Amino acid sequence: MNATDPDFAALRRAMVKLQIAGRGIHDGRVLEAMARVPREVFVPAHLADEACEDHPLPIGHGQTISQPYIVALMAEALELTGRERVLDIGTGSGYAAAVLASLALEVYSIERIPELADLARRNLDAAGFSQVHVMCGDGTLGWPEAAPFDGICVAAGAPVVPDSLKQQLTIGGRLVIPVGPEHSVQQLTVLTRRSEHDYQQENFGDVRFVPLLGEEGWP
Ligand code: SAH
């Protein structure tokens, strides 16, 4: 390390303490993953110094890497123990996929913009997460060949919960997704599949995401 290089590990520890634990995230595995995954690898190089700041950052193509707290909140909502197969929709930079891969057994991630799917692949490889499966396609339809999933994490706002995603959850599985108007505030919604046709719904508060575009999302 050069004397002028930022100490990213220290910045991540401060991020976890102030923004994540400090705001009520208490799952120890989530806190550990957020401290360990090198967020600076997933942001554009010229923004590396801002990687741990408390807001989203642009990643190109009009998209953003989510605010660290929101990634932690969604990861905690999935209640992962390390044995799960997880589907991540809206790969973007690949950062959330890396956090989920630190918490679950297997992660499948879908991104609709080809350039971002490529970027995420490179970022994940560079950060040591080559085991994450990345596909370019319409995530509103899920990943039928790899289904069912114990957890599904959607990082873009949907008009309603896509039926294909509900169908690809295991019984007991959890789906976290922002639902609400296209360019406004959404409700972070968590569905737990209780049985074949029974889903329990919880609301985790207001969030603001880019729109989920696709067959079962926005046109
Ligand atoms: N999880 C990302 C943040 C993603 S922002 C990260 O950690 O960096 C939301 C992403 O969802 C954008 O990259 C956008 O292109 C993508 N997206 C929007 N609609 C989609 C769809 N139907 N399928 C897959 N990706 C979609």
Side-chain angles (χ1 to χ4, degrees):
M1 191 167 72
N2 196 297
T4 55
D5 284 345
D7 180 351
F8 286 116
L11 290 173
R12 293 198 301 272
R13 283 195 298 274
M15 169 189 90
V16 167
K17 188 168 174 221
L18 298 172
Q19 303 171 35
I20 316 287
R23 266 193 215 126
I25 302 295
H26 44 69
D27 182 331
R29 297 180 71 247
V30 172
L31 299 177
E32 217 171 276
M34 298 292 297
R36 193 151 38 88
V37 175
R39 189 169 158 93
E40 64 280 2
V41 172
F42 293 87
V43 304
H46 71 283
L47 296 176
D49 288 1
E50 292 179 48
C52 294
E53 289 181 12
D54 191 16
H55 49 75
L57 289 169
I59 55 172
H61 304 274
Q63 308 302 324
T64 55
I65 174 173
S66 305
Q67 177 192 13
Y69 170 70
I70 294 294
V71 176
L73 180 66
M74 293 175 89
E76 184 172 68
L78 291 176
E79 298 181 354
L80 302 169
T81 65
R83 291 188 292 269
E84 298 82 5
R85 289 157 49 79
V86 172
L87 177 64
D88 169 58
I89 294 166
T91 320
S93 67
Y95 175 70
V99 171
L100 294 171
S102 308
L103 297 169
L105 185 62
E106 253 193 308
V107 174
Y108 293 80
S109 188
I110 310 177
E111 169 57 51
R112 64 177 282 277
I113 300 176
E115 292 84 354
L116 289 179
D118 291 344
L119 172 73
R121 178 75 275 157
R122 289 197 301 276
N123 289 345
L124 285 161
D125 289 344
F129 292 92
S130 305
Q131 79 276 23
V132 172
H133 308 274
V134 178
M135 169 172 93
C136 183
D138 179 3
T140 68
L141 304 176
W143 193 323
E145 300 77 14
F149 301 99
D150 307 295
I152 301 181
C153 182
V154 184
V160 293
V161 181
D163 210 48
S164 296
L165 299 184
K166 291 170 69 172
Q167 291 310 323
Q168 290 176 32
L169 267 187
T170 55
I171 307 296
R174 287 164 74 81
L175 163 60
V176 53
I177 180 168
V179 179
E182 188 170 3
H183 291 292
S184 163
V185 171
Q186 301 103 23
Q187 310 297 314
L188 190 59
T189 303
V190 180
L191 285 192
T192 306
R193 189 172 196 174
R194 290 289 176 213
S195 64
E196 185 65 23
H197 300 292
D198 180 26
Y199 297 82
Q200 180 198 315
Q201 184 171 330
E202 291 164 87
N203 184 348
F204 274 52
D206 290 353
V207 288
R208 199 177 273 268
F209 277 87
V210 297
L212 181 73
L213 304 176
E215 212 166 297
E216 293 187 39
W218 295 100

